[in-house]
């Protein structure tokens, strides 16, 4: 009789577990997902292309891409987070599907990029937001933060630098260019936006190259191959020196305003190595810190993990 009772108890417990798991599975899949829309808005006469997903009454996350890519780098992350957040990912002028004004008509600097993106957010009537800052997105986003710190609710920093410790020997050819602005020194940097240079940026430091779509570097190359785009990239390389001189100012703003910050950093990145991730802890009190076993474009291999970190972090820190 005891044996029968024991079996009955086991059966009931097992059935209860199955029902609970089933309900949990149902809840997970009952979340409403939002398709990404592809849009263009005029800013100072330029067509600024952007991707948008999620409910507009949800907290907004502005996704700022790096070199040499575009909002395309956020295509999967936007799907993963669209049930909880309003996501906006613009292309900068000269990148992706945004206008590429001639260099004689537009000054390709990080300051100008930040002004265009700030005006872009104004056009969309986005007043408060969190910033996802990757590579070039960091100095563009920090300039926006510098002008309007009250608008920024949180930072998500993914291989985006704000400290000299993060500029290791990889940057020596760029330092040479900054110190001696010649055609020859610029020519030495053009390999970064060749096909092989693009592929290297996506695949170096990853654990499984088969997880990184070749579409990435071929799509980037299409945009980078436009007439005069090579010169645009060299102009941005040269202007990067202005970011380095701004680091102390931005660090002071971090200490003053203390935005909640999530670090999700590909630790095998040579361009922006982990040495640039640790110093954020010096200036920011509310930091969640994750080094991921991947390279520069961490979303390609660790996108699910990063999405999970972002979801939990924003839920915890946005009131």
């Amino acid at each position: 009789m005891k044996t029968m009772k024991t079996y009955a108890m086991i059966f009931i417990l097992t059935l209860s577990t199955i029902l609970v798991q089933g309900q949990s599975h149902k809840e997970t899949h009952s979340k409403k997902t939002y398709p990404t829309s592809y849009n263009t808005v005029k800013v100072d006469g330029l067509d600024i292309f952007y991707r948008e997903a999620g409910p507009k009454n949800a907290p907004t996350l502005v996704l700022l891409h790096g070199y040499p890519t575009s909002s395309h780098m956020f295509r999967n992350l936007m799907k993963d987070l669209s049930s909880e957040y309003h996501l906006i990912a613009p292309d900068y002028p000269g990148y992706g599907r945004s206008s590429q004004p001639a260099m004689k008509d537009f000054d390709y600097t990080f300051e100008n990029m930040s002004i265009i993106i700030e005006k872009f957010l104004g056009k969309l009537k986005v007043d408060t937001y969190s910033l996802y800052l990757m590579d070039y997105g960091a100095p563009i986003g920090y300039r926006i933060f510098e002008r309007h710190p009250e608008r920024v609710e949180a930072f998500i920093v993914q291989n985006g630098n704000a400290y000299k410790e993060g500029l290791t020997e990889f940057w020596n050819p760029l330092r040479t260019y900054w110190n001696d602005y010649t055609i020859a020194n610029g020519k030495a940097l053009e390999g970064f936006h060749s096909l092989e240079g693009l592929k290297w940026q996506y695949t170096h430091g990853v654990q499984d190259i088969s997880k990184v779509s070749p579409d990435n570097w071929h799509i980037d190359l299409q945009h980078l191959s436009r007439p005069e785009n090579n010169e645009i990239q060299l102009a941005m390389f040269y202007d990067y020196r202005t970011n380095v001189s701004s680091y102390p100012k931005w660090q002071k703003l971090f200490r003053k305003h203390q935005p909640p910050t999530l670090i999700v950093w590909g630790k095998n990145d040579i361009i922006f190595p982990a040495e640039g991730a640790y110093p954020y802890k010096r200036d920011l009190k509310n930091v969640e810190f994750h080094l991921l076993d991947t390279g520069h474009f961490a979303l390609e291999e660790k996108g699910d993990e990063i999405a999970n970190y972002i979801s939990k972090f924003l839920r915890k820190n946005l009131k």
Side-chain angles (χ1 to χ4, degrees):
M1 186 64 70
K2 281 186 178 180
T3 303
M4 290 295 292
K5 285 183 179 178
T6 302
Y7 284 147
M9 296 260 313
I10 292 171
F11 174 76
I12 291 168
L13 288 170
T14 303
L15 183 61
S16 298
T17 301
I18 291 170
L19 289 170
V20 168
Q21 288 176 341
Q23 181 63 28
S24 175
H25 180 79
K26 184 179 177 183
E27 287 172 0
T28 300
H29 287 269
S30 66
K31 279 186 178 181
K32 182 177 180 181
T33 57
Y34 291 77
T36 299
S37 62
Y38 307 92
N39 313 286
T40 303
V41 65
K42 284 281 186 186
V43 179
D44 287 356
L46 302 177
D47 288 329
I48 300 301
F49 173 86
Y50 66 101
R51 299 164 194 255
E52 186 173 22
K56 292 190 178 182
N57 61 350
T60 297
L61 176 55
V62 178
L63 307 163
L64 299 178
H65 69 80
Y67 160 89
T69 186
S70 65
S71 60
H72 178 261
M73 68 168 283
F74 296 116
R75 65 201 180 281
N76 296 322
L77 185 68
M78 294 182 78
K79 292 177 186 175
D80 292 339
L81 295 177
S82 69
S83 64
E84 295 181 88
Y85 302 105
H86 176 216
L87 301 133
I88 300 172
D91 291 349
Y92 314 137
Y95 293 81
R97 296 186 175 277
S98 286
S99 293
Q100 181 188 294
M103 292 182 71
K104 65 180 178 61
D105 300 321
F106 184 83
D107 196 8
Y108 283 90
T109 65
F110 285 89
E111 181 69 13
N112 266 356
M113 295 294 187
S114 73
I115 290 169
I116 291 291
I117 296 304
E118 185 181 324
K119 289 181 178 180
F120 159 80
L121 293 172
K123 285 267 187 176
L124 268 57
K125 296 182 170 51
V126 176
D127 299 321
T128 57
Y129 41 82
S130 299
L131 291 174
Y132 188 113
L133 307 164
M134 189 271 172
D135 189 273
Y136 278 12
I140 290 170
Y142 292 144
R143 280 176 163 82
I144 294 170
F145 174 66
E146 182 183 338
R147 291 191 291 269
H148 297 287
E150 75 284 355
R151 297 180 184 176
V152 178
E153 297 179 304
F155 290 147
I156 293 97
V157 185
Q158 187 250 298
N159 299 76
N161 204 55
Y163 295 87
K164 285 188 177 180
E165 291 96 320
L167 301 180
T168 54
E169 62 275 7
F170 173 89
W171 287 79
N172 287 344
L174 285 103
R175 290 187 181 97
T176 299
Y177 194 43
W178 300 340
N179 294 327
D180 189 11
Y181 187 44
T182 64
I183 292 174
N185 287 335
K187 198 77 178 171
L189 303 175
E190 291 180 3
F192 288 126
H193 39 265
S194 68
L195 181 61
E196 286 305 310
L198 297 173
K199 180 178 178 180
W200 175 84
Q201 290 178 67
Y202 279 99
T203 58
H204 185 272
V206 305
Q207 296 302 295
D208 185 355
I209 292 176
S210 70
K211 291 183 178 179
V212 183
S213 171
D215 292 342
N216 284 298
W217 47 90
H218 285 282
I219 288 171
D220 289 350
L221 188 64
Q222 278 188 339
H223 304 306
L224 294 163
S225 297
R226 289 178 288 182
E228 205 180 41
N229 198 277
N230 177 69
E231 289 71 28
I232 288 169
Q233 302 310 323
L234 293 180
M236 293 296 289
F237 284 170
Y238 184 64
D239 192 64
Y240 201 93
R241 74 197 191 285
T242 65
N243 300 330
V244 182
S245 62
S246 296
Y247 285 172
K249 177 170 52 176
W250 297 339
Q251 293 159 18
K252 185 177 180 181
L253 288 169
F254 297 164
R255 292 191 292 271
K256 179 179 179 181
H257 296 283
Q258 292 297 324
T261 300
L262 171 65
I263 307 286
V264 278
W265 200 288
K267 68 178 182 179
N268 305 326
D269 185 6
I270 288 181
I271 303 169
F272 290 118
E275 287 92 328
Y278 292 104
Y280 282 99
K281 294 181 178 181
R282 284 203 304 256
D283 296 317
L284 294 161
K285 296 174 183 176
N286 182 2
V287 179
E288 184 179 323
F289 190 89
H290 302 280
L291 292 182
L292 310 174
D293 193 7
T294 192
H296 185 64
F297 285 102
L299 284 172
E300 293 302 315
E301 191 175 33
K302 301 290 184 181
D304 290 347
E305 190 174 341
I306 291 173
N308 187 49
Y309 285 135
I310 292 172
S311 179
K312 290 180 179 177
F313 172 79
L314 293 181
R315 248 183 274 148
K316 176 183 174 183
N317 286 282
L318 298 187
K319 306 302 181 186

